Amino acid sequence: MRIQISSVSGFAKLAKLKENSKIVETPTIMKISTKSDTFYWEIGDRKERFSLNLPPRYLSTEISVTENFDFQFIANLFMHKSLSENIIEKQLNKTLETLRNSVESYSKEKSLVIVQPPKSAQIFEKILNELNNLELQNIAITNLLPFINNPRQMIDFIAKLKTVLPVNSLLFLLSPIPHTYLPILSYTGIDVFSNGFANIAAKQRLYLTDAGGDKLEDMNEITCLCEICSKHTEPKEFISSFTESSVGEFHSLIIHNERIFAKKIREIRSAVKKQDLRGYIERAIQINPFSASALRLLDKNWIDWLIARTPTWSTVPIKSITSYGFTRPSINEFQKRVHERFTISSSKKVIVILPCSARKPYSESKSHQKFRAAIDSVANNKRGYIQELILTSPLGVIPRELESVYPAAHYDIPVTGDWSYEEKQIAIDQLVGVLSEIDSDVTIIAHIAGEYIELCEESEKILKRSFIYTSKNTRATTDTSLENLAKEINKIVEPLSPIKFSADTYKIQKVADYQFGIGVGEAMFPEIYSLKGRPPLPFKILRQNQQHGVIHYSTGKLTLSMKNGGILAKKKKYFVMFEGEKLEGSTLFAVGVKKADPEIRPSDEIVIVDKNHALLGVGHALISGRDMETVRFGAVAKIKSKVK
Amino acid sequence: MTILKGILTDQLCTMREKALRLRKSRAPNKAIAAWIEDDRLINEAGKALVIIMNSSGCDWALGEGGGCSMCGYSNDTSEVITDENLIEQVQKVLQEFSDKTFQSVKLFNSGSFLDENEIPIKAQDEIMKMISNLSKVTEVIVETRPEFVTKKALKRLKAILGNDKELELGIGLESSDDFIRINYINKGFLFNDFNKAVKLAINNNVRVKSYLLFKPPFLTEKEAIADTIQSTIDSIKVGARTISINPVNIQNGTLVFKLWRDDLYRPPRFWSLKEIIQIVWQRIDEEGLRNQVDRIVSDPSGAGSQRGIHNGRHCDKYFVKALKKYTLTQNPEELDQPNCWCETVWRELLEYEVVSRDSSLRLVENAHNLLK
Ligand code: SF4
Ligand SMILES: [Zn+2]
Ligand SMILES: [Zn+2]
């Protein structure tokens, strides 16, 4: 059995399970099947499926392994939370001993161990570490239902599994969870869901719908058009067809309910493939209050891990954000980087705060073209004194130089000027954060109107300094405001002595800082450069007709040249330390990794170095740096070029 | 007697200590309860006087065995009880019910009647003497663990009681599967110990009633059904002529209580008990055991409540009645009657528990609630 990760998204992953030319993609469903009167599990919601035996009793001391199954349960840990730690530990040791002694008799990647919500976090960590030592990484969960009203405990339990075990481990859920819980639980990291609830619900005459389910007798419309449901249009005859079936009671209801499960899992898988699982989740949680609080808790308590496993660079638009989107990993991380990796150069003497626009990147919008025209009215050799900041929700503050970086150019919310309290708070926090280190001789101009004014006034109070308002009474795009803006800027920069400034170079440096950490931009790009390119093609970074990398139009990501790779390697940032004879091929595998920078996230540009941190090649990461260190197999990075 | 420790023993000892500290104090000279009930006698329906004595408690629960995982009887005991106290307890009850008719006396003392430490010989003898004077009574039932069953004790009691009264020892075998009995129930003895006690009893003209625990913790309900069926047959084969099937009821301070409170245990359903009883009688016929068995009874405590055997509000009432009728008539067809939609759900959950090993399926019994 091979497990190959295609992509990760938070704790969820898209993976292919392969064996004997059969392929099953996860997230997926498992269902009970029969063959000559014995039950077994089938994994997969398409034609190709893998089989799995039935779980063993508690305290069974032997491992029964047969060739008949693709996956096999090999242990069912006796760890009910009602038991004393003493018993749990004693039993665990016995089980581990059995597993160690019979290590020849089972194949690790085909084996499953059953766990359940534990007595304590401590004991659970111990259990997971022991399983890790045995390289048993496929886990089945049972007894999860008591947490169905307790999102905190459920999330913490599953997230613990996801953070202690390697990223390519598989999580199976045996408890019959309703289909409405599938989206949030897949984002929490379940790979394979039992669809048992479909049958259990059918036996209770429950007709499942996308958003929930109803008692058959309470149905007033048949909302499903699957081949079974579409035979009827009248709810009444529909009900009798379900209860008076010749194939067995509830047969057609079961089939319909199972389809609802299959549909849900395919929607999820499709969202992961489109790299929009997070967006899908934010929409899906509306039908299930548990999911809403679970998502909040994930964002609150597990954000570091979610960020680590969320690609930094993407092209997927962020649409119709609800308040659940404000804490998205990609938004959260953007805000953090603006705080930590963006500094306003000390040569800046004027800061202009501008409103956002619907069109992205902002500078392509009509309003911003007008703003820029006003700003560019200053003498060329004074332009370098001006820093532009764009105020927006929910990202907060976007420096002009970072306007193309994901997700700054990719979100899309109605610009109604109707900000919620939460959005205002985010914007104020970000603005205050960016401006807090600014010298007192720097003038801050707020070229904003309407609701934005309140934000700036709040920020003034916190910063204890005052802004100049250039469009307080009219819209920011009126001629009067624009003239005002130009006048105020000129007033400040005129007396200053001329300075050299290359907007392209400044942008390149800021993007590099954003990507790799403060100071890296100047180290990589110490001269004057220009950006040449026509969207949607990447912008080339050029100096004297020589290319020093590109910045992608669609993601805003800077790709590494070999020379810049050398600089990154020296700084010991975004490195993956290679262990092995010679770096070969275009893929770096887990076995070749000795160490990796924990800052690395999927899609990040990375350098591959030897054990003395000398550069061996550049490429990009497929999984996070933390995960590269714990996985035992599979691809971890793509190699773009190697040192000759 | 050697103690056969199971996996749960340590925890049960700790829990027992705690539970005993919380034990209520009670008047030592008063029985805990007594009543007359309809009951199945050896050959027909009749009346039984039940006496729950206040004793010092079960030796197995108080000692280093820690007691059984579902048993909270030691909560209803007292630290110091003299032989006079015990005699007085029974005396008072017999007085109270002197004008009533009953053919059977059942003495329950939350432990072993034959254990001299719990019921001193003097008290055993006095109590038997009192009962032997009740002319209408034809059978007397006491309970005991097998290790206290000795030839001497049996001869002594039988001599007092006389030959016109049957003496029956109720022994809590619980399950004929040693692994289940030792590890899931923490019973501390083997099937073979039970077997020996039965042989001794039979040789001394004393009858044995095998108490079976239906649905010990950590078994699925389906496995529990199979286990109780098998245990019934095994009990009959070694000589127990009365079988009492006892579905678990949740008693405070026990491990089963803890599991139940954590949603990891659900008392069994009536459908399962019905299946056991009907299959057992079939098996008895198939194996030609009819003449080796007098009665297979089930009088579950807490039947129809959350803490006892139950299906749900839809049909519990009917099942309680049907079960009572069955016990009195010994006709398994009495259980054919209650029909309810929940049978399909039961069947589904029974199977699903096996394939998932999920013991919290009680929470999907009302699946609609999870979709709101
Ligand atoms: S079930 Fe019987 S043997 Fe077990 S603890 Fe209770 S009284 Fe003692
Ligand atoms: Zn349908
Ligand atoms: Zn019912």
Side-chain angles (χ1 to χ4, degrees), chain A residues 56-210:
Chain A
R57 282 185 181 211
Y58 291 112
L59 304 177
S60 74
T61 44
E62 62 207 50
I63 300 169
S64 68
V65 179
T66 64
E67 290 295 302
N68 304 340
F69 297 100
D70 300 312
F71 282 99
Q72 305 235 12
F73 289 108
I74 54 165
N76 186 1
L77 298 184
F78 194 59
M79 54 179 286
H80 303 64
K81 66 172 182 242
S82 329
L83 295 170
S84 73
E85 306 223 349
N86 208 341
I87 292 180
I88 296 174
E89 247 173 280
K90 243 205 240 156
Q91 237 0 80
L92 175 69
N93 291 336
K94 270 196 204 158
T95 310
L96 292 170
E97 203 184 294
T98 317
L99 290 175
R100 258 182 241 116
N101 290 341
S102 42
V103 80
E104 308 284 294
S105 70
Y106 57 88
S107 128
K108 286 170 187 166
E109 66 270 23
K110 288 183 171 187
S111 297
L112 267 71
V113 175
I114 304 180
V115 304
Q116 57 179 298
K119 173 102 184 158
S120 67
Q122 233 173 335
I123 214 147
F124 194 41
E125 192 133 359
K126 188 181 157 147
I127 289 172
L128 294 181
N129 285 327
E130 295 285 3
L131 293 178
N132 242 341
N133 292 340
L134 286 170
E135 299 185 10
L136 291 169
Q137 58 175 41
N138 299 330
I139 303 293
I141 298 169
T142 192
N143 286 349
L144 191 69
L145 296 172
F147 283 173
I148 205 150
N149 289 315
N150 196 329
R152 177 182 304 271
Q153 288 185 320
M154 183 156 355
I155 293 301
D156 285 353
F157 169 58
I158 303 175
K160 187 97 215 170
L161 280 159
K162 294 306 285 187
T163 51
V164 178
L165 298 173
V167 66
N168 48 7
S169 63
L170 292 175
L171 283 193
F172 297 70
L173 180 55
L174 295 169
S175 300
I177 214 89
H179 59 300
T180 42
Y181 288 69
L182 263 50
I184 188 69
L185 290 185
S186 62
Y187 191 56
T188 316
I190 304 289
D191 299 288
V192 183
F193 292 90
S194 155
N195 73 351
F197 187 83
N199 283 37
I200 293 170
K203 302 286 164 77
Q204 297 175 43
R205 307 168 67 92
L206 285 172
Y207 179 81
L208 301 186
T209 59
D210 285 341

Side-chain angles (χ1 to χ4, degrees), chain A residues 207 224-230 238 255-257 259-260:
Chain A
Y207 179 81
C224 173
L225 297 174
C226 81
E227 79 194 39
I228 282 180
C229 300
S230 56
F238 184 64
I255 293 186
H256 160 82
N257 282 356
R259 284 191 181 150
I260 295 285

Side-chain angles (χ1 to χ4, degrees), chain A residues 293-489:
Chain A
S293 28
L295 186 61
R296 286 238 187 272
L297 289 161
L298 269 173
D299 281 353
K300 191 161 161 248
N301 300 333
W302 297 92
I303 190 69
D304 285 353
W305 277 98
L306 289 181
I307 288 175
R309 288 178 177 167
T310 300
T312 314
W313 308 96
S314 171
T315 57
V316 180
I318 300 178
K319 280 191 181 146
S320 60
I321 288 191
T322 64
S323 68
Y324 294 98
F326 299 165
T327 47
R328 268 188 189 215
S330 54
I331 290 178
N332 191 305
E333 177 68 3
F334 179 86
Q335 293 164 338
K336 204 167 119 211
R337 287 192 186 194
V338 168
H339 264 290
E340 292 170 1
R341 296 185 175 184
F342 173 79
T343 48
I344 294 176
S345 148
S346 58
S347 58
K348 303 292 180 191
K349 296 296 172 218
V350 185
I351 292 168
V352 183
I353 303 169
L354 298 165
C356 64
S357 63
R359 173 131 189 211
K360 317 273 175 345
Y362 302 119
S363 44
E364 290 178 13
S365 74
K366 282 224 170 71
S367 58
H368 276 254
Q369 276 162 10
K370 287 182 185 164
F371 302 149
R372 299 212 83 178
I375 295 166
D376 287 342
S377 70
V378 302
N380 252 347
N381 55 11
K382 303 287 170 71
R383 186 64 179 80
Y385 286 119
I386 306 164
Q387 171 71 51
E388 296 162 60
L389 299 177
I390 295 119
L391 203 50
T392 185
S393 169
L395 288 174
V397 171
I398 299 174
R400 172 70 72 198
E401 294 71 23
L402 300 180
E403 68 174 14
S404 310
V405 151
Y406 189 83
H410 306 74
Y411 75 96
D412 192 4
I413 55 165
V415 190
T416 59
D418 232 354
W419 295 41
S420 69
Y421 175 79
E422 212 180 337
E423 289 174 280
K424 286 180 192 164
Q425 242 20 63
I426 293 170
I428 293 167
D429 280 356
Q430 285 297 109
L431 188 59
V432 168
V434 172
L435 295 179
S436 59
E437 312 264 289
I438 299 297
D439 283 344
S440 53
D441 68 333
V442 176
T443 308
I444 302 171
I445 297 175
H447 186 70
I448 39 96
E451 278 228 319
Y452 291 93
I453 291 177
E454 187 192 332
L455 306 176
C456 288
E457 284 173 350
E458 276 300 310
S459 308
E460 282 183 282
K461 274 186 220 151
I462 300 170
L463 290 164
K464 298 201 176 69
R465 54 193 296 173
S466 39
F467 301 174
I468 294 171
Y469 290 86
T470 47
S471 87
K472 210 166 189 168
N473 303 317
T474 58
R475 280 183 296 123
T477 45
T478 59
D479 290 347
T480 345
S481 335
L482 293 167
E483 270 163 37
N484 253 345
L485 174 62
K487 202 173 75 205
E488 287 297 338
I489 298 176

Side-chain angles (χ1 to χ4, degrees), chain A residues 32 39 41 55-56 58-59 76 82-84 87 90 142-143 145-146 174-175 194 199 203-204 206 213, chain B residues 7 10-11 184 218 223 258-259 262 264 344-345 348 351-352 355-360 363-365 367-368:
Chain A
I32 280 294
F39 289 115
W41 288 101
Y58 291 112
L59 304 177
N76 186 1
S82 329
L83 295 170
S84 73
I87 292 180
K90 243 205 240 156
T142 192
N143 286 349
L145 296 172
L174 295 169
S175 300
S194 155
N199 283 37
K203 302 286 164 77
Q204 297 175 43
L206 285 172
Chain B
I7 283 149
D10 289 350
Q11 181 175 1
Y184 294 166
F218 310 115
E223 287 163 348
K258 247 186 165 169
L259 287 160
D262 289 338
L264 299 176
T344 339
V345 181
E348 175 71 28
E351 296 300 344
Y352 197 79
V355 301
S356 67
R357 287 275 145 194
D358 195 308
S359 25
S360 56
L363 300 168
V364 286
E365 275 173 33
H368 201 196

